[in-house]
Amino acid sequence: MASSFTLTSLNPCLSFRSISNGEINSTKKIMIKMSMITPSSKDGTRSKAMKFKGTQMREKKLTEMIEQKVVEANQVCGEDETSDECKVAWDEVEEISQAKADLRLKLEKLQQDPLESFCQENPETDECRIYED
Amino acid sequence: MAVSTVYTVLSLNSACSISKPNKTHLGFNQKQLVFFKKTTTITTTRRATTVITCSAGDTVVIGLAADSGCGKSTFMRRLTSVFGGAAEPPKGGNPDSNTLISDTTTVICLDDYHSLDRTGRKEKGVTALDPRANNFDLMYEQVKAIKNGVAVEKPIYNHVTGLIDPPELIKPPKIFVIEGLHPMYDARVRELLDFSIYLDISNEVKFAWKIQRDMAERGHSLESIKASIEARKPDFDAYIDPQKQYADAVIEVLPTQLIPDDNEGKVLRVRLIMKEGVKYFNPVYLFDEGSTISWIPCGRKLTCSYPGIKFSYGPETYFGHEVSVLEMDGQFDRLDELIYVESHLSNISTKFYGEVTQQMLKHADFPGSNNGTGLFQTIVGLKIRDLYEQIVASKTGAPLEATKA
């Protein structure tokens, strides 16, 4: 799976001056410098913290869902940008993106698999099989 | 250990909860009564132990309003760290639980009170930000119960599946934090809060943070990130943003003013807006309480690297309330900058010199550790500890008053 931090390939621009209240200008003016972004952990670090099959499955599922829901949102909003359906579609994208980010944070910053304590009590479940890269 | 025989307990004070521990550990805590019951059945004599815990309702409830999800890690971990101990998800329970528990603190995510799951919201055309997707009656009942010392079975909203999972037991802790989109939306819940905080991130900073968060995801692009923020904005402005007028403290995060035409978004300007006249809460100040100060610590005694650090402090009005605002623009590059700043702040409720610095260093790898976000989150944590101690002191003081009279 692609590393979460393939940021070396990015060079979008972010200009605060041109961002007025609520409006975000054309993407050509958006720029982010590398220094702003939290230093990436190497893939090795992440695999070390990920211990159980269940976590790997969750991560995979969330990644797929993000892709899928972004496509859906673009579709729905293409029909009517101001509709409730459009709002809800992007809200779902936000929810899943945040869930994925929370998982990533636990694995990378806290260096623990979220299923750790659950698997101590239930080692026989499918989710608690040891994950091997 | 005192042993006495009790025959019937008809009704218990609502402040008590009954639990049957699997192991009889009999660790004594002055608030626990251990009931030892003998039952005789036809074939065996079984002894059952029931523990009744009456916590005398000394739970302090804190509300935290924030947009980006729960277990919002940074702020919560700083807060629980101030009280000591690390916050962990409940052991052995639902692995997708949003709850964090430490020795003194329990943090719950208000998404757990969604009345509509993801499918339900899609059907009704309602976002999670919309009050119609949330069960405020249940939220109020359960927060009230916890505050009165009664444990509750709280639902779990699973962010991965989008479903509402079977409930988990939440026992009343010393500090109970309710975190999410609507802690101050419902007036009844607001009344239960001993202290409330609103994390107000400006649009520019929010955009930058979300790019940081999502840009590496396969499905995302700048356009999708931008579209998501814009689509949620109407509901956010209508339902979430107005809560900031009720907050006792608002942490406002803005782009820096120190760098002309800054377009990096790396340096932040953070304002800690503190309401005046809140019980048990004495706003932090710089040099002279109630006056207006502008302070640049960098100079002869302290050397800072570009762009430096700038503080300001002064009284203001916020949504019709008197407030004191402490503002920091810039970032810390060295430990001595941090300790220097800490030594000039007053009313920070530290227990020893350097406590703020120590707390910041403990979580040096968390975002915001070198700027006002980390600094003010840590200070707010200390103020909450101070508030808690004052509340507890006032409660234990009361019975003495009664006996004197």
Side-chain angles (χ1 to χ4, degrees):
Chain A
M1 191 205 135
S3 155
S4 300
F5 290 98
T6 47
L7 294 170
T8 44
S9 56
L10 281 181
N11 196 17
C13 295
L14 179 86
S15 164
F16 285 141
R17 278 282 181 269
S18 61
I19 296 172
S20 54
N21 203 21
E23 281 195 86
I24 300 167
N25 261 340
S26 123
T27 54
K28 285 185 189 165
K29 291 188 187 167
I30 313 290
M31 172 170 73
I32 301 172
K33 281 219 175 154
M34 286 309 102
S35 52
M36 179 190 154
I37 293 160
T38 335
S40 67
S41 59
K42 307 201 170 75
D43 276 347
T45 320
R46 195 179 64 194
S47 329
K48 241 189 278 169
M50 174 147 32
K51 210 165 142 187
F52 301 106
K53 204 83 176 89
T55 303
Q56 191 233 0
M57 283 167 12
R58 265 184 187 75
E59 197 189 17
K60 191 153 166 267
K61 181 172 182 202
L62 287 170
T63 308
E64 284 166 7
M65 272 166 72
I66 292 178
E67 265 188 293
Q68 178 206 333
K69 296 222 177 257
V70 170
V71 166
E72 252 176 61
N74 278 315
Q75 253 173 5
V76 170
C77 297
E79 293 160 27
D80 179 2
E81 223 171 56
T82 56
S83 67
D84 284 342
E85 286 77 23
C86 176
K87 265 193 323 190
V88 173
W90 283 119
D91 191 41
E92 287 190 2
V93 170
E94 166 62 26
E95 188 190 349
I96 310 290
S97 303
Q98 185 60 48
K100 174 99 200 283
D102 284 341
L103 180 60
R104 214 190 308 134
L105 186 90
K106 282 182 194 153
L107 287 171
E108 284 167 13
K109 292 276 183 207
L110 306 169
Q111 286 290 298
Q112 60 182 218
D113 191 308
L115 286 178
E116 187 70 54
S117 72
F118 175 79
C119 287
Q120 264 175 23
E121 311 270 322
N122 309 280
E124 72 289 349
T125 58
D126 195 44
E127 284 190 305
C128 294
R129 282 179 9 232
I130 302 295
Y131 160 71
E132 263 146 78
D133 207 340
Chain B
M1 172 177 127
V3 178
S4 56
T5 320
V6 178
Y7 293 97
T8 45
V9 180
L10 286 171
S11 66
L12 281 174
N13 185 327
S14 62
C16 302
S17 66
I18 305 178
S19 63
K20 279 186 161 51
N22 286 327
K23 302 171 195 146
T24 325
H25 51 101
L26 292 183
F28 278 93
N29 165 329
Q30 65 197 132
K31 297 182 205 148
Q32 276 184 342
L33 297 168
V34 180
F35 283 72
F36 194 71
K37 187 177 95 183
K38 236 179 176 170
T39 2
T40 319
T41 58
I42 295 166
T43 47
T44 56
T45 307
R46 262 186 284 119
R47 282 178 285 174
T49 312
T50 311
V51 175
I52 301 181
T53 313
C54 301
S55 67
D58 64 357
T59 300
V60 166
V61 185
I62 312 286
L64 172 62
D67 183 20
S68 35
C70 294
K72 216 195 143 279
S73 325
T74 331
F75 199 159
M76 277 306 107
R77 286 175 206 272
R78 285 192 204 278
L79 179 62
T80 49
S81 166
V82 159
F83 287 101
E88 309 275 339
K91 299 246 179 276
N94 184 333
D96 294 315
S97 161
N98 308 302
T99 306
L100 291 176
I101 301 185
S102 77
D103 292 330
T104 47
T105 315
T106 294
V107 184
I108 64 159
C109 176
L110 291 177
D111 287 351
D112 290 337
Y113 292 111
H114 278 332
S115 49
L116 299 170
D117 63 13
R118 205 179 285 154
T119 320
R121 294 198 302 269
K122 201 179 195 128
E123 280 168 17
K124 289 232 155 83
V126 141
T127 64
L129 304 159
D130 194 313
R132 287 173 291 170
N134 299 285
N135 187 344
F136 290 104
D137 290 337
L138 184 63
M139 191 192 293
Y140 168 60
E141 273 165 37
Q142 295 205 331
V143 175
K144 187 165 87 157
I146 294 278
K147 189 162 183 151
N148 290 325
V150 181
V152 298
E153 289 279 351
K154 177 194 61 67
I156 298 176
Y157 176 76
N158 189 318
H159 283 101
V160 178
T161 61
L163 301 168
I164 297 171
D165 286 348
E168 62 186 348
L169 181 70
I170 303 289
K171 294 189 232 166
K174 291 203 178 107
I175 315 270
F176 186 59
V177 183
I178 62 172
E179 179 194 5
L181 296 164
H182 307 96
M184 295 166 253
Y185 185 83
D186 185 283
R188 301 165 298 175
V189 178
R190 256 193 333 258
E191 287 298 302
L192 296 171
L193 301 177
D194 293 294
F195 194 74
S196 54
I197 306 148
Y198 184 94
L199 207 48
D200 185 11
I201 318 292
S202 74
N203 294 315
E204 301 92 325
V205 177
K206 191 180 280 191
F207 187 41
W209 285 2
K210 295 215 168 164
I211 290 177
Q212 205 172 316
R213 187 191 73 182
D214 295 338
M215 206 50 193
E217 293 301 332
R218 257 198 330 245
H220 267 301
S221 62
L222 267 169
E223 288 81 10
S224 65
I225 296 170
K226 172 183 158 188
S228 177
I229 295 178
E230 296 202 327
R232 292 172 87 243
K233 206 165 183 304
D235 276 5
F236 186 84
D237 289 343
Y239 306 121
I240 315 300
D241 201 59
Q243 292 177 87
K244 62 191 188 194
Q245 62 183 296
Y246 301 116
D248 297 314
V250 176
I251 299 181
E252 214 186 325
V253 185
L254 305 148
T256 185
Q257 288 179 327
L258 295 177
I259 304 174
D261 299 316
D262 170 55
N263 57 4
E264 290 186 35
K266 183 185 173 187
V267 182
L268 295 172
R269 176 175 159 230
V270 190
R271 309 177 82 229
L272 177 59
I273 301 167
M274 299 164 281
K275 220 182 227 168
E276 289 290 340
V278 175
K279 203 171 183 195
Y280 305 123
F281 175 59
N282 299 309
V284 180
Y285 67 90
L286 201 51
F287 180 58
D288 180 23
E289 205 170 1
S291 62
T292 303
I293 311 270
S294 178
W295 179 50
I296 297 176
C298 315
R300 288 202 198 103
K301 280 195 204 162
L302 186 71
T303 336
C304 311
S305 36
Y306 182 80
I309 302 169
K310 181 171 175 203
F311 273 86
S312 71
Y313 163 76
E316 283 181 31
T317 322
Y318 188 76
F319 291 101
H321 294 288
E322 297 278 305
V323 297
S324 293
V325 183
L326 176 66
E327 178 181 317
M328 172 179 165
D329 196 349
Q331 51 188 44
F332 300 112
D333 269 325
R334 297 190 324 273
L335 176 62
D336 53 342
E337 290 171 8
L338 189 45
I339 197 99
Y340 190 82
V341 163
E342 180 180 349
S343 62
H344 287 81
L345 291 171
S346 306
N347 262 352
I348 43 176
S349 306
T350 47
K351 291 210 162 136
F352 54 86
Y353 176 73
E355 191 176 11
V356 172
T357 305
Q358 187 198 66
Q359 284 293 329
M360 296 273 280
L361 288 177
K362 233 167 137 185
H363 304 289
D365 56 332
F366 278 159
S369 294
N370 64 347
N371 61 39
T373 52
L375 177 66
F376 293 151
Q377 286 173 1
T378 306
I379 291 177
V380 167
L382 295 169
K383 299 305 286 176
I384 291 175
R385 180 181 68 187
D386 181 48
L387 180 123
Y388 171 75
E389 288 169 356
Q390 287 184 62
I391 291 179
V392 168
S394 74
K395 286 202 180 140
T396 47
L400 287 173
E401 295 289 312
T403 51
K404 276 183 206 165

